Amino acid sequence: MVKEGDRNNNYHQSFDVSMDVSPPTDSNNLDDDGRPKRTGTIWTASSHIITAVIGSGVLSLAWAIAQLGWIAGPIVMLLFSFVTYYTSTLLSYCYRTGDPISGRRNYTYMEAVKSNLGGFKVKICGVVQYVDLFGVAIGYTIAAAISAMAIKRSNCFHSSGGKDPCHMNSNIYMISFGVVEIIFSQIPDFHELWWLSILAAIMSFTYSVIGLGLGIGKVVGNKKVKGSITGVSIGTITQTQKIWRTFQALGDIAFAYSYSMILIEIQDTVKSGPPSEAKTMKNATLISVLVTTIFYMLCSCFGYASFGDQSPGNLLTGFGFYNPYWLIDIANAAIIIHLVGAYQVFVQPLFSFIETNAAKKFPNCDFINKDIEVPIIPGAKPYKLNIFRLIWRTIFVILTTIIAMLLPFFNDIVGLLGAIAFWPLTVYFPVEMYIAQKKIPKASLQWISMQMLSFACLLVTLAAGVGSVAGIVNDLKVYKPFQTNY
């Protein structure tokens, strides 16, 4: 039998180190830290970032632009892209402590915070990071159910010739998604998810490109560009709703650019310098943020141009009753497949954190540490079943599914997740770590500028959080848990 504690410790190290899994044959295949030589380049790092960033967040961007209008919307998106690029470059310098070529490596975001800041801030970072990952699991469950309902409603609408309103309940779709995630959650660790991650990345580009193409086609079909300079006008909604929606739109855009929590892990795949990993990562960040921003601009602007002030919170649901409806069904199916994989990619670090710490705290507990070998296919390796992993991961998925059923508001949840992660993970910690790393003097011009940027982003995060919570409260006024049909 294999001790689960040992397996967890090995997994924790492998997740934190890199995506390179080839075993070394001699010292020439080892890096300066004694681990397998990294082989990543600017192009592999760029592809990792683009794959991580372009996800379900793109679907809410047309709605966000609709709240801000044709002038403020694109400007805000450009500002978020600039801030993301700038703070990501600061974070990349924190991968090594000391010399940028030979300094000690930090394999995870939390290690970087511990190395540069230490103390209570490490715990704060961990809480924010894992709360956000928990929230992402809830958001992805909601998004998958919305896409499943969009397929069902689209087919229902066309089979009835538009006579059936095709109302349905989201609960069965969330439960189905939860059952699938319970099964996939038993995959022991991150490295065994590589095939699911690749499939998810392909699916994310599939539905994003389809959404862009449908937007362009609808604008051409309308023979006009919808929307206005100031976005959804007061009168259509109240002044208070306009304020809350504007704030929520900031959270949606922040969520779409969120990837800082995995930047250090991506950088740990880059080969050693010269040039330094920080320089390679800086260039990779520039390429990926530029590509992502262009793609986001096209999707959001063509989406807003298609639907104007009526832009839906999930872009693809807005095309639900249009031909070719089979193409929209393919896009929504791609979203569901992507979210199955993305759910696992995001929760595996949380699974590892809990299981590693449980194994350390109770090293002699067989319930936590012992694997039971279960033969699956003759001649193949037996599956290592761990009872603790089976029970706690199943409870985790059930909990996220129940919360998603209680709060099935994709747009509001996305905005709240963006608000939670943006300032602390994308701005505050990178700024503070860079200041500590470079020993920037207090009250110097650079120090003041960086603190002003951090404070401004804090205000944005607070506004986005308030707006998203207000949206959830407003939705709950008319929503009856487990009962409301759409």
Side-chain angles (χ1 to χ4, degrees):
M1 296 292 182
V2 179
K3 285 286 187 181
E4 180 69 10
D6 296 337
R7 187 195 65 77
N8 269 335
N9 287 333
N10 290 337
Y11 160 60
H12 186 66
Q13 291 174 357
S14 66
F15 176 80
D16 292 349
V17 177
S18 77
M19 298 178 186
D20 298 328
V21 294
S22 301
T25 55
D26 55 52
S27 59
N28 291 328
N29 288 327
L30 299 178
D31 262 330
D32 55 293
D33 59 347
R35 297 185 176 185
K37 191 176 286 291
R38 285 84 169 167
T39 58
T41 65
I42 181 176
W43 302 112
T44 61
S46 298
S47 64
H48 286 319
I49 295 172
I50 292 170
T51 301
V53 175
I54 297 179
S56 60
V58 70
L59 300 174
S60 66
L61 291 180
W63 181 90
I65 296 293
Q67 311 314 308
L68 300 169
W70 275 121
I71 294 179
I75 289 175
V76 168
M77 196 171 293
L78 287 174
L79 287 174
F80 269 96
S81 67
F82 171 76
V83 170
T84 301
Y85 166 70
Y86 176 67
T87 57
S88 295
T89 60
L90 300 183
L91 184 58
S92 68
Y93 285 111
C94 302
Y95 170 65
R96 286 186 183 266
T97 300
D99 189 271
I101 296 290
S102 59
R104 186 176 63 82
R105 299 173 187 262
N106 298 304
Y107 303 114
T108 67
Y109 197 117
M110 282 187 68
E111 279 190 33
V113 173
K114 183 177 181 180
S115 177
N116 289 283
L117 301 177
F120 188 63
K121 290 181 179 179
V122 179
K123 293 182 179 179
I124 295 175
C125 173
V127 168
V128 172
Q129 199 169 2
Y130 293 125
V131 165
D132 190 58
L133 293 176
F134 181 77
V136 166
I138 296 169
Y140 282 1
T141 302
I142 297 168
I146 290 173
S147 291
M149 285 194 297
I151 294 173
K152 182 72 174 178
R153 187 179 288 118
S154 172
N155 294 335
C156 167
F157 181 83
H158 284 276
S159 63
S160 68
K163 296 176 182 178
D164 189 338
C166 302
H167 292 305
M168 59 193 68
N169 194 288
S170 63
N171 292 338
I172 185 63
Y173 300 101
M174 292 190 189
I175 292 170
S176 300
F177 184 79
V179 170
V180 172
E181 292 303 343
I182 286 174
I183 296 170
F184 279 108
S185 291
Q186 302 315 311
I187 297 175
D189 54 50
F190 186 84
H191 284 295
E192 293 183 42
L193 284 171
W194 63 269
W195 60 273
L196 191 59
S197 181
I198 291 173
L199 180 61
I202 294 171
M203 292 298 105
S204 70
F205 276 98
T206 299
Y207 67 71
S208 297
V209 170
I210 291 175
L212 174 59
L214 290 170
I216 294 172
K218 197 164 190 300
V219 170
V220 173
N222 292 338
K223 296 181 180 179
K224 67 174 182 178
V225 173
K226 294 185 177 181
S228 62
I229 293 176
T230 57
V232 179
S233 59
I234 297 173
T236 307
I237 56 175
T238 66
Q239 187 171 1
T240 302
Q241 286 177 319
K242 176 71 174 177
I243 293 171
W244 295 147
R245 287 189 176 194
T246 299
F247 288 166
Q248 187 183 328
L250 299 177
D252 287 357
I253 296 173
F255 178 80
Y257 277 102
S258 178
Y259 75 95
S260 296
M261 66 182 72
I262 58 172
L263 184 143
I264 296 292
E265 283 81 359
I266 293 174
Q267 189 166 347
D268 195 47
T269 69
V270 175
K271 61 184 178 183
S272 302
S276 67
E277 297 93 346
K279 187 172 182 180
T280 300
M281 201 65 185
K282 182 178 179 180
N283 292 330
T285 299
L286 177 61
I287 293 170
S288 53
V289 170
L290 184 62
V291 170
T292 301
T293 300
I294 292 171
F295 193 72
Y296 280 177
M297 280 288 192
L298 289 171
C299 288
S300 60
C301 290
F302 274 106
Y304 183 39
S306 298
F307 296 102
D309 292 350
Q310 303 304 313
S311 295
N314 181 327
L315 179 60
L316 284 173
T317 61
F319 295 106
F321 297 156
Y322 294 91
N323 285 315
Y325 75 95
W326 55 266
L327 182 62
I328 299 160
D329 287 353
I330 291 174
N332 279 298
I335 291 176
I336 296 169
I337 297 170
H338 167 244
L339 292 174
V340 168
Y343 184 106
Q344 289 302 316
V345 169
F346 274 91
V347 299
Q348 281 293 336
L350 180 55
F351 288 164
S352 172
F353 176 78
I354 295 296
E355 289 160 18
T356 301
N357 281 281
K360 287 179 180 178
K361 194 166 186 178
F362 305 101
N364 299 317
C365 178
D366 286 346
F367 172 71
I368 293 175
N369 297 303
K370 186 173 288 186
D371 285 335
I372 301 171
E373 294 189 348
V374 179
I376 301 175
I377 302 173
K381 284 185 178 181
Y383 173 75
K384 291 183 172 63
L385 175 67
N386 177 271
I387 303 301
F388 173 67
R389 182 178 69 225
L390 173 66
I391 293 174
W392 113 259
R393 292 190 183 189
T394 299
I395 292 173
F396 174 89
V397 175
I398 291 172
L399 182 59
T400 58
T401 304
I402 291 173
I403 295 175
M405 292 164 66
L406 288 169
L407 303 169
F409 318 122
F410 174 74
N411 226 42
D412 299 325
I413 296 297
V414 163
L416 185 59
L417 292 174
I420 290 172
F422 177 63
W423 178 68
L425 298 180
T426 302
V427 182
Y428 174 75
F429 284 117
V431 165
E432 292 300 316
M433 286 192 289
Y434 185 81
I435 288 174
Q437 176 94 290
K438 300 299 182 181
K439 296 181 173 58
I440 298 173
K442 264 191 176 182
S444 65
L445 181 61
Q446 186 178 8
W447 185 89
I448 292 172
S449 300
M450 295 176 78
Q451 295 296 344
M452 287 176 65
L453 172 66
S454 181
F455 181 71
C457 291
L458 171 61
L459 296 180
V460 170
T461 283
L462 293 175
V466 169
S468 298
V469 170
I472 292 173
V473 170
N474 189 57
D475 288 334
L476 285 172
K477 290 178 182 178
V478 296
Y479 176 74
K480 294 180 180 179
F482 308 113
Q483 298 178 28
T484 300
N485 292 323
Y486 295 91

